[in-house]
Amino acid sequence: MMQLERDGAEHCPGSALSVLPRLLDALHDLQEGRAGVRLSHACGLADVLASCGAIGAIAARFCHTDVKPVRAVLFDKSAERNWGLGWHQDRTICVKARHDTPGFGPWTTKAGLTHVAPPFRYIERMITLRVHLDDVTINNAPLLVAPGSHKLGFIPVGRVGSVVAACGREACLARSGDIWAYATPILHASDPARQPARRRILQIDYSADELPEGLDWLGVN
């Protein structure tokens, strides 16, 4: 069984069951026809995602401090939208507006939202929760992680393959209502589903950090 501190990932079975109907209702209009939807507003779910809410409290417990949701993305994989994603680290954050700041860059725009690569220490202190709205079996494109890779700092692209080979890979299976918690810098990937079925996941990044003056997290409200 993987543990967050040691392995960079931990399974929290049933942790979102109490709010699952609310999540499904709030996200319904965002699901159809799009593989990934970046949420600048949480459709009335801010209290659930806040550190005192049913989901945010899990991030706060793992971080041992108050945290805030700083980015949310809804992934909707199906037979019609059955993509794969190679091994990588998440290295960007979402901010309200561009403000050139030493150590922050390059800048990108995704779905009309401003993203930037911060100094990697910000990524290392973040935690990511993936809230499963559907079951994820071994045949339905579970997230793959390289246990322990979160402790290795910034991993150059040319070293990713050797790090995965050294750390091994684990598939993160889940039932609807489960949450997986990840150290944000962990190496991860996802293959196309071998037996495609609906696989919706709400992914939320959390941080306790404030950004330098002039930069603000986009956040979730």
Side-chain angles (χ1 to χ4, degrees):
M1 182 180 297
M2 287 193 288
Q3 297 177 0
L4 185 71
E5 184 175 353
R6 181 190 66 201
D7 303 303
E10 188 164 328
H11 189 199
C12 306
S15 294
L17 281 174
S18 65
V19 294
L20 188 60
R22 184 175 175 183
L23 289 174
L24 291 170
D25 182 62
L27 298 172
H28 181 267
D29 291 340
L30 299 173
Q31 294 170 4
E32 296 298 333
R34 300 176 65 183
V37 181
R38 289 172 171 81
L39 308 177
S40 56
H41 299 284
C43 311
L45 295 178
D47 57 335
V48 178
L49 302 183
S51 61
C52 58
I55 294 172
I58 294 174
R61 174 168 59 86
F62 280 121
C63 291
H64 308 293
T65 188
D66 190 34
V67 293
K68 55 185 176 292
V70 296
R71 176 169 54 187
V73 184
L74 177 66
F75 296 109
D76 187 356
K77 185 175 283 192
S78 65
E80 295 76 25
R81 299 177 296 278
N82 185 21
W83 70 91
L85 196 61
W87 288 97
H88 68 286
Q89 288 179 307
D90 289 338
R91 297 176 178 171
T92 64
I93 60 174
C94 192
V95 296
K96 290 182 178 179
R98 178 166 179 165
H99 180 84
D100 291 330
T101 304
F104 285 75
W107 294 83
T108 55
T109 300
K110 302 175 184 178
L113 303 177
T114 302
H115 289 71
V116 64
F120 203 68
R121 64 181 181 273
Y122 287 93
I123 302 295
E124 290 177 312
R125 293 196 290 260
M126 291 170 64
I127 188 170
T128 298
L129 300 185
R130 285 169 62 94
V131 183
H132 289 264
L133 309 182
D134 301 294
D135 293 351
V136 179
T137 68
I138 194 64
N139 293 317
N140 192 25
L143 194 72
L144 306 172
V145 298
S149 60
H150 66 299
K151 298 179 179 180
L152 302 179
F154 182 96
I155 301 172
V157 172
R159 291 191 57 231
V160 167
S162 61
V163 170
V164 173
C167 292
R169 48 190 280 170
E170 293 286 342
C172 300
L173 308 184
R175 301 294 299 272
S176 176
D178 290 359
I179 293 176
W180 271 93
Y182 302 94
T184 301
I186 195 169
L187 283 172
H188 59 284
S190 179
D191 295 328
R194 291 180 292 201
Q195 297 176 5
R198 197 79 181 273
R199 194 214 71 172
R200 295 164 297 175
I201 293 169
L202 177 62
Q203 178 174 300
I204 314 104
D205 294 334
Y206 286 87
S207 176
D209 286 330
E210 297 297 331
L211 298 177
E213 185 175 356
L215 286 177
D216 294 300
W217 299 99
L218 178 64
V220 180
N221 51 52

